[in-house]
Amino acid sequence: MKLQVSFSRKKVSEPIIARVVRDTGVLINVERARIEPSEGKVLIDVPDESVKLVCEKMRALGATVEVLEHAVMHDEEECVDCGACISVCPQEVFSFDEEWALTLDQGRCVLCGRCVQACPHGALTVEK
Amino acid sequence: MEKSIEEINTRIRDGNARVVSAEEMPDIVAELGEEEALREVDVVTTGTFGAMCSTGAFLNFGHADPPIRMERVWLNDVEAYSGLAAVDAYMGAASESTTQGNAYGGAHVIEDFVSGRPVEVRAISKGTDCYPRRTVTTTLLLEDLNDAVMVNPRNSFQCYDAATNMTERVIHTYMGMLLPHTGNVSFSGAGALSPLANDPAYRVIGSGVPIFLGGTQGMVVGQGTQSSPATGFANLMTTGNLKEMSPEFLRAATFTGYGVTMYVGVGVPIPVVDLDVVRSTAVRDEEIMTNIVDYGTPHRERPAIARVSYADLKSGKVEIDGEEVRTSSLSSYRKAREIAETIRTWVEAGSMELSLPTRRFNAAKRTRPMRETKVVPRVREIMDTKVVAVAEDEPIRTAAAKLLKGETNHLPVLNGEGQLVGIVTTYDVTKAVGSTRELTVVRDIMTRKVVRTTPEEAVDVAAQKLERHNISALPVVDPAHRVIGMLSAIDLGKLLGGRWQL
Ligand code: SF4
Ligand code: SF4
């Protein structure tokens, strides 16, 4: 499951993720990181059964944690099932089912935003 | 054996016609044989739903009081072509809003109309004795117009090149977003379901033939503009009543970095009149071939890097130079199927009858490139051949001295063989002075990744490079990477300021 972790100015330099990995023994996959002088935002992937533990630890260290359930928003009304989003996604989030309708595997998304640019119909949005 | 069109229409009227889709036909022919398939099947339905920039509608607004000759007209701030009679205009799908750019265009106006949304119409005129009024602004619904006739100069290409990008940056094209280093392939068209793929000799598709267009029944006007059947790239000029169309099959779209376009649904019911039609409609995706071309090449003739079938493209991946590359479509196969299905219901319900072309296409027609009477200037013609360069192992001081002499602001850096290995600007030298690191020779401060041009490159392409990289000069190199000139924004400006405008 994906977690969006944000931490503020003074925590930025602290090795929060490393500390959580050490303390919990949970292997965390960092999928995206945006560290700026005043804040940091990291997208991590954590095994489902450890989500609760990791969230607690992170919060104890002063981070804000959000479980990311719908990373990409797909507007089915706008979508025409063309497929222009499929080959540009580095994570293979999109595919066609047997009926040639677009299906999404949300859990794989790393919020890169490429699909949003590629969709000619404005049917996709990504959480910031 | 042959079957007359009257025979087919009688069956349609009686509700006995056997209608199958172009997807089903190959198996039917394989199972029954050609003769039996001809006896059995009366109509094969086709469909495609994809980006067709060449789309638009003639609109008649009716007369205002006092009347105006609408010389220029905007619909929701998108300009329509009004060099017609007083209150008519042609709204082209690709026309872009004067206020919103490519977020809104002619295609959106058309979609708004067919969706029942109001559209603001603004027009201006110089005023004449018979049409004294000079401006008008009103808000109209599609039903308020006298006529809204879609006329699309070229729709429904028989086949289309698939696109990839061999450059090192993302490019944005009418074939969608293409990732660097052949990172993906995009393609258009419905393959074996595409109308013209089922009648490549244009025996039954021609002028006057009834079709599905944007959700209603329209017809083929004739051969589309730029149609090139002799090379496998035929298309259709189509028309239909916009007032009957539906946003299900007419959708505005924007390709990022390219512009506005319209997704249009087109389908043709093909009457199975003889064995030739049986054979041509038995085509499978595996047999429809197309080239994958490099859209990163800024030339009309783009190099084909692989030849593949629609079956390959639809499988989601193809092999290029031993590497697997993911493919995806720009047109909707699902919608194409829906279109073929809709035609089936129309024909089965007796509400769509078929006819043979009143005028056949010229199957030998071939599109020619533009005849250019003025050749595009090449870099060679405007570059500065006086090159001041510096060697990579010379002291920074030497570079500074050369720059200070004021003849140039860009010093190409050469290696021992005289080949271009970097570039140094006044900025790099200034930075070096302020740096705390130990920097002594040019090599330490030069930019190694140099954007360059060649003497034969068109100046427009060179101008685009300057703009894209936000730089002001390009070294001109020969095939041996030796610098034979410099092209600066100033050289280009002199040229572009005159006859060229970018
Ligand atoms: S945001 Fe990136 S990873 Fe997520 S679905 Fe879009 S393209 Fe794929
Ligand atoms: S690119 Fe947009 S419209 Fe096309 S399938 Fe993807 S989400 Fe749907």
Side-chain angles (χ1 to χ4, degrees), chain A residues 77-84 86-90 92 98-101 114 117-121, chain B residues 49 172 177 179 184-185 251-256 263 326-335 337:
Chain A
E77 286 291 303
E78 293 293 338
C79 178
V80 300
D81 300 293
C82 61
I86 296 178
S87 69
V88 301
C89 170
E92 307 198 15
E98 343 47 269
E99 300 290 307
W100 293 91
R114 249 194 221 164
Q117 261 194 47
C119 173
H121 296 272
Chain B
F49 183 84
H172 300 279
M177 187 184 198
L179 305 177
N184 66 337
V185 167
R251 293 287 275 277
T254 299
F255 284 116
T256 306
Y263 273 59
R326 287 162 67 213
T327 61
S328 62
S329 164
L330 293 170
S331 35
S332 173
Y333 201 65
R334 188 173 188 217
K335 287 266 186 197
R337 273 187 172 170

Side-chain angles (χ1 to χ4, degrees), chain B residues 54-234:
Chain B
S54 187
T55 291
F58 284 99
L59 309 172
N60 178 283
F61 304 104
H63 283 288
D65 186 28
I68 177 170
R69 177 173 181 236
M70 299 164 88
E71 283 168 0
R72 289 188 74 185
V73 50
W74 292 264
L75 287 91
N76 284 351
D77 280 353
V78 182
E79 185 158 17
Y81 178 74
S82 51
L84 304 152
V87 288
D88 293 278
Y90 181 76
M91 183 80 258
S95 182
E96 286 178 12
S97 159
T98 48
T99 50
Q100 296 181 62
N102 68 19
Y104 191 92
H108 298 83
V109 172
I110 292 170
E111 189 185 315
D112 278 346
F113 267 140
V114 299
S115 305
R117 290 190 280 266
V119 170
E120 189 196 64
V121 179
R122 249 181 335 111
I124 56 170
S125 167
K126 60 182 174 299
T128 68
D129 288 340
C130 44
Y131 292 111
R133 192 148 165 189
R134 299 173 61 154
T135 65
V136 67
T137 303
T138 181
T139 298
L140 301 176
L141 293 170
L142 185 55
E143 63 195 52
D144 297 323
L145 304 185
N146 287 318
D147 298 284
V149 183
M150 180 161 266
V151 179
N152 306 329
R154 56 171 177 277
N155 280 176
S156 187
F157 264 91
Q158 176 185 358
C159 188
Y160 219 85
D161 284 337
T164 193
N165 164 26
M166 296 171 79
T167 70
E168 52 211 30
R169 62 183 184 95
V170 174
I171 62 171
H172 300 279
T173 71
Y174 64 82
M175 290 299 286
M177 187 184 198
L178 299 172
L179 305 177
H181 306 296
T182 321
N184 66 337
V185 167
S186 80
F187 66 99
S188 190
L193 208 47
S194 283
L196 286 170
N198 285 276
D199 185 22
Y202 324 106
R203 300 182 62 259
V204 291
I205 300 180
S207 300
V209 162
I211 58 169
F212 173 108
L213 181 65
T216 188
Q217 291 185 24
M219 70 171 185
V220 174
V221 176
Q223 202 157 16
T225 56
Q226 214 175 290
S227 184
S228 190
T231 54
F233 291 87

